[in-house]
Amino acid sequence: MENSPLENAMARRLHRRAIATGEITVPAVPGMLEHYVTMCLRLFESLGRGFTDEQVDNLRSILDDQLNEAFAASPRSEIVISYEAPVGLVVNYHVKCRWWSVEGAYENWIATREPPLFGSEPDARVWNLAGEAADPRTYPILDLGAGTGRNALALARRGHPVDVVEMTSSFAEAILAGAQEDALTVRVLQRDIFATRDDLRRDYQLIVLSEVVSDFRSTDQLRGVFDLAAQCLAPGGRLVFNAFVAHRDYTPDDSALQMGQQCYTTIFTQSQIADALVGFPLILVSDESVFDYEREHLPAESWPPTSWYADWVSGQDVFDVPRSDRPIEMRWLVYQKW
């Protein structure tokens, strides 16, 4: 039954006498500006504070500025919307942005999450590629962005000489400690993977980037990986990395690309990857689904490696749809130097 006009009139007065304060923190995705505007307006309207068209335009402008500033600074960025509604029709709000470097975000993971952060087993794709070597001692490996050392330490235990480049200090220190504890042949270089090549070998048989390309912000960085591999792989050596690739019939828009970066899910199209490869003596020799490969080849008790892994590699951190409907997925790409 509908309320009477008088009851509705009293309800309006009731809302105006409410006092509310709060704060909303959301990732910064500039391409989804109108969703932020709608979220704020619905919240304020629920408190009995409607906005005029002019006030809506002002809110939109403020949100737009803060979203763009935050996302330009880092893919690990967010905006914080704080509000206060005193007695009456007014709502006071403030929007600010904040961000972390990728290194800072991972340092926060270490401080706030229970290990193992990325699982305890080496990646099956990496392990099986390296396992093709007749003698591990003559099969040097470069692990770029090695994280906790899942791959690097396991490969070193099998006898491979392993070089590690890792920018997050806590990760680098943990890998070094693990290598020293087991007397493993692991050289740890703490820096950005693109900072220099002067300290790298030129005869690696395998270069690995596991869960690294998913943090890139541009195809220039992808081209930088191909360039590094071309310079540092021995002839016949291989480069393996996993990346989120859009299905052929899907072209991600700015919103999807930005949301992907916020979810450790940088998306590349197949044509972007092919274009980044142009000019380098590398050929694609394998392209496989990460979900399918790891599920099939990891020990049964190690699948999935973490509680979030299966959904993440399926692209469902960005698209809240069944796995069969997602327009992207993470794939293992293997290139060989000719």
Side-chain angles (χ1 to χ4, degrees):
M1 185 174 64
E2 292 186 5
N3 295 330
S4 69
L6 288 177
E7 186 166 353
N8 287 334
M10 287 190 295
R12 289 194 294 272
R13 285 298 181 188
L14 179 66
H15 279 231
R16 293 171 191 173
R17 293 185 67 83
I19 299 173
T21 59
E23 184 175 278
I24 308 169
T25 301
V26 283
V29 183
M32 300 182 74
L33 170 63
E34 292 306 316
H35 292 273
Y36 296 87
V37 174
T38 298
M39 176 182 63
C40 290
L41 292 179
R42 286 177 176 172
L43 171 62
F44 299 156
E45 287 170 1
S46 74
L47 300 174
R49 274 69 169 180
F51 272 32
T52 65
D53 290 344
E54 183 180 355
Q55 289 171 323
V56 172
D57 289 342
N58 187 53
L59 170 64
R60 180 179 290 108
S61 177
I62 293 172
L63 288 169
D64 189 35
D65 288 344
Q66 294 302 297
L67 287 168
N68 280 290
E69 180 180 346
F71 187 77
S74 171
R76 304 289 94 81
S77 57
E78 59 194 20
I79 61 168
V80 182
I81 306 163
S82 55
Y83 61 91
E84 177 186 10
V87 171
L89 295 174
V90 175
V91 60
N92 302 309
Y93 65 89
H94 178 69
V95 184
K96 65 179 180 180
C97 58
R98 62 188 182 193
W99 58 82
W100 299 264
S101 65
V102 172
E103 178 185 2
Y106 282 119
E107 291 285 4
N108 184 61
W109 272 37
I110 296 169
T112 60
R113 299 193 180 195
E114 291 293 326
L117 297 180
F118 306 103
S120 56
E121 294 285 329
D123 291 307
R125 192 72 186 100
V126 174
W127 185 253
N128 291 340
L129 281 172
E132 297 174 11
D135 182 358
R137 295 171 298 179
T138 63
Y139 196 92
I141 296 174
L142 173 62
D143 192 349
L144 297 171
T148 58
R150 284 182 306 115
N151 291 314
L153 295 176
L155 293 166
R157 291 188 186 101
R158 194 158 69 179
H160 296 278
V162 178
D163 285 352
V164 163
V165 178
E166 173 54 55
M167 70 175 179
T168 303
S169 59
S170 295
F171 285 157
E173 291 165 5
I175 296 170
L176 183 59
Q180 292 175 341
E181 181 179 352
D182 294 341
L184 301 174
T185 307
V186 178
R187 183 169 61 121
V188 180
L189 306 169
Q190 185 191 335
R191 58 170 176 78
D192 182 271
I193 63 174
F194 298 118
T196 181
R197 297 175 199 163
D198 294 344
D199 49 6
L200 301 179
R201 301 171 60 144
R202 295 297 187 270
D203 64 344
Y204 293 111
Q205 293 295 328
L206 183 65
I207 295 178
V208 177
L209 293 92
S210 177
E211 303 177 16
V212 173
V213 175
S214 54
D215 264 329
F216 283 1
R217 302 204 77 182
S218 70
T219 52
D220 286 343
Q221 290 173 291
L222 188 58
R223 187 166 175 81
V225 168
F226 289 137
D227 189 16
L228 186 152
Q231 296 295 322
C232 297
L233 280 174
R238 290 174 292 187
L239 162 71
V240 57
F241 62 83
N242 45 21
F244 285 95
V245 183
H247 294 177
R248 287 188 181 276
D249 59 352
Y250 172 67
T251 301
D253 59 15
D254 287 345
S255 297
L257 296 172
Q258 294 163 1
M259 185 67 175
Q261 289 189 27
Q262 286 286 11
C263 298
Y264 303 83
T265 309
T266 295
I267 304 167
F268 292 104
T269 63
Q270 295 180 17
S271 61
Q272 284 177 319
I273 297 174
D275 289 346
L277 183 63
V278 171
F280 297 114
L282 301 164
I283 185 170
L284 179 67
V285 295
S286 178
D287 178 353
E288 299 182 83
S289 162
V290 170
F291 181 98
D292 293 338
Y293 192 96
E294 298 300 308
R295 182 176 60 174
E296 179 180 350
H297 293 91
L298 280 175
E301 65 275 10
S302 298
W303 174 261
T306 67
S307 61
W308 46 263
Y309 185 87
D311 284 350
W312 176 61
V313 300
S314 299
Q316 290 168 285
D317 280 12
V318 178
F319 300 99
D320 184 17
V321 296
R323 183 171 182 270
S324 58
D325 296 335
R326 81 279 186 251
I328 64 171
E329 69 171 332
M330 181 175 258
R331 299 191 66 83
W332 280 119
L333 304 176
V334 182
Y335 298 83
Q336 188 163 26
K337 182 177 179 181
W338 46 268

